[in-house]
Amino acid sequence: LDRLSADERAVIQRASVVGKRFWEGPVAYLSPESSRSTVGTEIQSLMRKGLIVSDRPIVPGEEGYRFGHLLIRDAAYAGISKKERADLHERFARWIEETSGDRLIEVEEILGYHLEQAFRYVSQLYPADERRRQLATRAAERLGAAGRRALGRGDASAATNLLGRAASVLPADAPGRAQLLGELGAALILAGEFGEADSVLTEAIEASGAAQDRRLELHALLERGFLRALTDPEQGVQELRRVTERAIPELEALGDDVGLAKAWRRIGDMH
């Protein structure tokens, strides 16, 4: 890599931000406008040197490429400053948003990853920067949406990973964090991580109470009551009974049909 020309090195570094597999379009987008027309030529030069090889197409109409070895990608990425990494990840996220159209939901996890990476690097460089807060909000939104879909299809491993990352980028008092914690607790129950689930759901209850969001607080109380009934049937079932008896009239007053469905299901679980 040290023996590459400046243009070749710039192209392979931008490709490393896209990922192990990439194609010309986003690499050109990440390049200065003055050098976009030569990106294809530089990629061919890198292929002749064995650093990049052909791969199956990732998008229709574009030639696919991948790094000759994962270590090449890692070394190229390591040569980028933290500031430039933050900028490139954020710009690639923008490229995804601009080009995905109706397919945005399909790539939301990838979009969330790049926003998350931009957030991590900005946090290290500018902890109090407004850009950091905006990146955290955007990353949490995308990772959280992907995590909810994973939870809905019963993929506990993906749901806990995505929802946990979404919650971790937000400050403790951020809007939406209490909901993410409640959903993460449900995913952890599904994954059989009962100890961590109890801790996360307790935090969700406290965060919902601090935000004065009684609906989310009741949802988290129902999830934790169910968990404790599973792990300590003798005491937990009684706790779940008390939670549901208090929750049902409040959920009715709130017009929360989903919450009521959860509460009545837990009554069925008790019996």
Short mmCIF file of all heavy atoms in Angstrom, two decimals, residues 103-112 141-156 158-159 162-163 183 190:
data_model
loop_
_atom_site.label_atom_id
_atom_site.label_comp_id
_atom_site.label_asym_id
_atom_site.label_seq_id
_atom_site.Cartn_x
_atom_site.Cartn_y
_atom_site.Cartn_z
N ARG A 103 -36.02 0.80 -1.87
CA ARG A 103 -35.28 -0.30 -1.26
C ARG A 103 -34.59 0.10 0.04
O ARG A 103 -33.82 -0.67 0.60
CB ARG A 103 -34.21 -0.82 -2.23
CG ARG A 103 -34.74 -1.46 -3.49
CD ARG A 103 -33.62 -1.98 -4.37
NE ARG A 103 -32.73 -2.90 -3.67
CZ ARG A 103 -31.50 -2.58 -3.26
NH1 ARG A 103 -31.01 -1.37 -3.48
NH2 ARG A 103 -30.75 -3.48 -2.64
N LEU A 104 -34.89 1.30 0.55
CA LEU A 104 -34.18 1.79 1.72
C LEU A 104 -34.32 0.85 2.92
O LEU A 104 -33.36 0.61 3.66
CB LEU A 104 -34.67 3.19 2.10
CG LEU A 104 -33.92 3.87 3.25
CD1 LEU A 104 -32.44 4.03 2.92
CD2 LEU A 104 -34.53 5.23 3.56
N ILE A 105 -35.52 0.28 3.09
CA ILE A 105 -35.74 -0.63 4.22
C ILE A 105 -34.80 -1.84 4.14
O ILE A 105 -34.29 -2.32 5.16
CB ILE A 105 -37.21 -1.09 4.27
CG1 ILE A 105 -38.10 0.08 4.71
CG2 ILE A 105 -37.40 -2.27 5.20
CD1 ILE A 105 -39.57 -0.24 4.72
N GLU A 106 -34.52 -2.29 2.92
CA GLU A 106 -33.67 -3.46 2.75
C GLU A 106 -32.21 -3.20 3.19
O GLU A 106 -31.51 -4.14 3.58
CB GLU A 106 -33.67 -3.91 1.27
CG GLU A 106 -35.04 -4.29 0.74
CD GLU A 106 -35.00 -4.56 -0.76
OE1 GLU A 106 -33.91 -4.93 -1.26
OE2 GLU A 106 -36.03 -4.39 -1.43
N VAL A 107 -31.78 -1.96 3.10
CA VAL A 107 -30.39 -1.63 3.42
C VAL A 107 -30.28 -0.79 4.69
O VAL A 107 -29.24 -0.19 4.96
CB VAL A 107 -29.71 -0.90 2.23
CG1 VAL A 107 -29.62 -1.81 1.03
CG2 VAL A 107 -30.46 0.39 1.88
N GLU A 108 -31.35 -0.75 5.47
CA GLU A 108 -31.37 0.13 6.65
C GLU A 108 -30.32 -0.27 7.68
O GLU A 108 -29.73 0.58 8.34
CB GLU A 108 -32.77 0.11 7.29
CG GLU A 108 -33.08 1.36 8.07
CD GLU A 108 -34.56 1.58 8.26
OE1 GLU A 108 -35.32 0.59 8.29
OE2 GLU A 108 -34.97 2.73 8.40
N GLU A 109 -30.06 -1.56 7.81
CA GLU A 109 -29.03 -2.01 8.76
C GLU A 109 -27.65 -1.50 8.34
O GLU A 109 -26.85 -1.07 9.18
CB GLU A 109 -29.04 -3.53 8.86
CG GLU A 109 -28.03 -4.08 9.85
CD GLU A 109 -28.09 -5.60 9.96
OE1 GLU A 109 -29.11 -6.20 9.58
OE2 GLU A 109 -27.09 -6.18 10.44
N ILE A 110 -27.36 -1.55 7.03
CA ILE A 110 -26.08 -1.04 6.52
C ILE A 110 -26.00 0.46 6.72
O ILE A 110 -24.96 0.99 7.15
CB ILE A 110 -25.92 -1.40 5.03
CG1 ILE A 110 -25.93 -2.92 4.84
CG2 ILE A 110 -24.64 -0.80 4.46
CD1 ILE A 110 -26.03 -3.36 3.40
N LEU A 111 -27.08 1.16 6.43
CA LEU A 111 -27.13 2.61 6.63
C LEU A 111 -26.87 2.95 8.10
O LEU A 111 -26.08 3.85 8.43
CB LEU A 111 -28.48 3.14 6.17
CG LEU A 111 -28.80 4.60 6.46
CD1 LEU A 111 -27.75 5.52 5.86
CD2 LEU A 111 -30.19 4.96 5.91
N GLY A 112 -27.54 2.22 8.99
CA GLY A 112 -27.35 2.45 10.42
C GLY A 112 -25.91 2.21 10.85
O GLY A 112 -25.38 2.95 11.68
N GLU A 141 -32.20 5.65 14.97
CA GLU A 141 -33.44 5.47 14.19
C GLU A 141 -33.31 4.30 13.22
O GLU A 141 -34.21 3.45 13.14
CB GLU A 141 -33.76 6.76 13.43
CG GLU A 141 -35.00 6.67 12.56
CD GLU A 141 -35.23 7.91 11.71
OE1 GLU A 141 -34.50 8.91 11.89
OE2 GLU A 141 -36.12 7.87 10.84
N ARG A 142 -32.20 4.24 12.50
CA ARG A 142 -32.03 3.19 11.48
C ARG A 142 -31.77 1.83 12.12
O ARG A 142 -32.36 0.82 11.72
CB ARG A 142 -30.89 3.56 10.54
CG ARG A 142 -31.13 4.85 9.76
CD ARG A 142 -32.40 4.80 8.93
NE ARG A 142 -32.56 6.00 8.12
CZ ARG A 142 -33.57 6.21 7.29
NH1 ARG A 142 -34.53 5.30 7.18
NH2 ARG A 142 -33.65 7.32 6.57
N LEU A 143 -30.87 1.79 13.11
CA LEU A 143 -30.57 0.52 13.77
C LEU A 143 -31.80 0.01 14.52
O LEU A 143 -32.08 -1.20 14.54
CB LEU A 143 -29.39 0.69 14.73
CG LEU A 143 -28.03 0.97 14.10
CD1 LEU A 143 -27.02 1.35 15.17
CD2 LEU A 143 -27.54 -0.24 13.30
N GLY A 144 -32.54 0.92 15.15
CA GLY A 144 -33.73 0.52 15.88
C GLY A 144 -34.79 -0.06 14.97
O GLY A 144 -35.42 -1.07 15.29
N ALA A 145 -35.00 0.57 13.81
CA ALA A 145 -35.99 0.05 12.86
C ALA A 145 -35.61 -1.34 12.37
O ALA A 145 -36.45 -2.24 12.28
CB ALA A 145 -36.13 1.01 11.67
N ALA A 146 -34.33 -1.54 12.06
CA ALA A 146 -33.86 -2.87 11.62
C ALA A 146 -34.00 -3.87 12.76
O ALA A 146 -34.36 -5.03 12.53
CB ALA A 146 -32.41 -2.78 11.16
N GLY A 147 -33.74 -3.44 14.00
CA GLY A 147 -33.87 -4.33 15.15
C GLY A 147 -35.31 -4.74 15.40
O GLY A 147 -35.58 -5.90 15.75
N ARG A 148 -36.26 -3.82 15.21
CA ARG A 148 -37.68 -4.16 15.40
C ARG A 148 -38.13 -5.19 14.37
O ARG A 148 -38.92 -6.09 14.69
CB ARG A 148 -38.53 -2.90 15.30
CG ARG A 148 -38.36 -1.96 16.48
CD ARG A 148 -39.25 -0.73 16.39
NE ARG A 148 -38.79 0.23 17.37
CZ ARG A 148 -38.10 1.33 17.10
NH1 ARG A 148 -37.79 1.63 15.84
NH2 ARG A 148 -37.71 2.14 18.07
N ARG A 149 -37.65 -5.04 13.15
CA ARG A 149 -38.03 -6.03 12.13
C ARG A 149 -37.44 -7.39 12.48
O ARG A 149 -38.10 -8.42 12.29
CB ARG A 149 -37.56 -5.56 10.75
CG ARG A 149 -38.42 -4.46 10.16
CD ARG A 149 -38.14 -4.27 8.67
NE ARG A 149 -36.78 -3.80 8.45
CZ ARG A 149 -36.41 -2.53 8.52
NH1 ARG A 149 -37.29 -1.60 8.80
NH2 ARG A 149 -35.16 -2.18 8.30
N ALA A 150 -36.21 -7.41 12.98
CA ALA A 150 -35.60 -8.68 13.39
C ALA A 150 -36.39 -9.31 14.54
O ALA A 150 -36.63 -10.52 14.57
CB ALA A 150 -34.15 -8.45 13.81
N LEU A 151 -36.82 -8.49 15.49
CA LEU A 151 -37.62 -9.00 16.62
C LEU A 151 -38.95 -9.54 16.12
O LEU A 151 -39.42 -10.59 16.58
CB LEU A 151 -37.84 -7.87 17.63
CG LEU A 151 -38.58 -8.24 18.93
CD1 LEU A 151 -37.84 -9.31 19.70
CD2 LEU A 151 -38.77 -6.98 19.80
N GLY A 152 -39.55 -8.85 15.14
CA GLY A 152 -40.83 -9.28 14.61
C GLY A 152 -40.77 -10.63 13.91
O GLY A 152 -41.73 -11.39 13.92
N ARG A 153 -39.62 -10.94 13.32
CA ARG A 153 -39.49 -12.24 12.64
C ARG A 153 -38.85 -13.29 13.55
O ARG A 153 -38.53 -14.39 13.10
CB ARG A 153 -38.70 -12.10 11.34
CG ARG A 153 -37.26 -11.66 11.48
CD ARG A 153 -36.55 -11.60 10.12
NE ARG A 153 -35.15 -11.22 10.27
CZ ARG A 153 -34.69 -9.97 10.15
NH1 ARG A 153 -35.54 -9.00 9.87
NH2 ARG A 153 -33.41 -9.70 10.31
N GLY A 154 -38.63 -12.93 14.82
CA GLY A 154 -38.13 -13.91 15.79
C GLY A 154 -36.64 -14.14 15.74
O GLY A 154 -36.15 -15.13 16.30
N ASP A 155 -35.87 -13.23 15.12
CA ASP A 155 -34.42 -13.37 15.05
C ASP A 155 -33.82 -12.69 16.28
O ASP A 155 -33.45 -11.52 16.25
CB ASP A 155 -33.90 -12.74 13.76
CG ASP A 155 -32.41 -13.00 13.53
OD1 ASP A 155 -31.72 -13.40 14.48
OD2 ASP A 155 -31.95 -12.79 12.39
N ALA A 156 -33.72 -13.44 17.38
CA ALA A 156 -33.31 -12.86 18.65
C ALA A 156 -31.89 -12.33 18.60
O ALA A 156 -31.59 -11.28 19.18
CB ALA A 156 -33.44 -13.90 19.76
N ALA A 158 -30.06 -11.13 16.01
CA ALA A 158 -29.98 -9.86 15.28
C ALA A 158 -30.69 -8.75 16.04
O ALA A 158 -30.21 -7.62 16.09
CB ALA A 158 -30.59 -10.02 13.89
N ALA A 159 -31.84 -9.06 16.65
CA ALA A 159 -32.61 -8.04 17.37
C ALA A 159 -31.83 -7.49 18.55
O ALA A 159 -31.78 -6.27 18.77
CB ALA A 159 -33.94 -8.61 17.82
N LEU A 162 -28.86 -5.28 17.20
CA LEU A 162 -29.25 -4.01 16.59
C LEU A 162 -29.88 -3.06 17.60
O LEU A 162 -29.54 -1.87 17.65
CB LEU A 162 -30.21 -4.27 15.42
CG LEU A 162 -29.58 -4.96 14.20
CD1 LEU A 162 -30.65 -5.53 13.30
CD2 LEU A 162 -28.70 -3.98 13.43
N LEU A 163 -30.79 -3.58 18.42
CA LEU A 163 -31.46 -2.73 19.40
C LEU A 163 -30.47 -2.26 20.48
O LEU A 163 -30.54 -1.13 20.96
CB LEU A 163 -32.64 -3.46 20.03
CG LEU A 163 -33.81 -3.73 19.08
CD1 LEU A 163 -34.79 -4.73 19.70
CD2 LEU A 163 -34.53 -2.43 18.72
N GLU A 183 -37.84 -2.63 24.03
CA GLU A 183 -37.78 -3.60 22.93
C GLU A 183 -36.55 -4.49 23.06
O GLU A 183 -36.62 -5.70 22.77
CB GLU A 183 -37.77 -2.85 21.60
CG GLU A 183 -39.07 -2.13 21.31
CD GLU A 183 -38.96 -1.05 20.25
OE1 GLU A 183 -37.84 -0.56 20.01
OE2 GLU A 183 -39.99 -0.68 19.68
N LEU A 190 -36.34 -13.29 24.52
CA LEU A 190 -36.43 -14.24 23.41
C LEU A 190 -35.11 -15.00 23.24
O LEU A 190 -35.10 -16.19 22.91
CB LEU A 190 -36.79 -13.50 22.13
CG LEU A 190 -37.09 -14.33 20.88
CD1 LEU A 190 -38.33 -15.19 21.10
CD2 LEU A 190 -37.29 -13.43 19.67
#
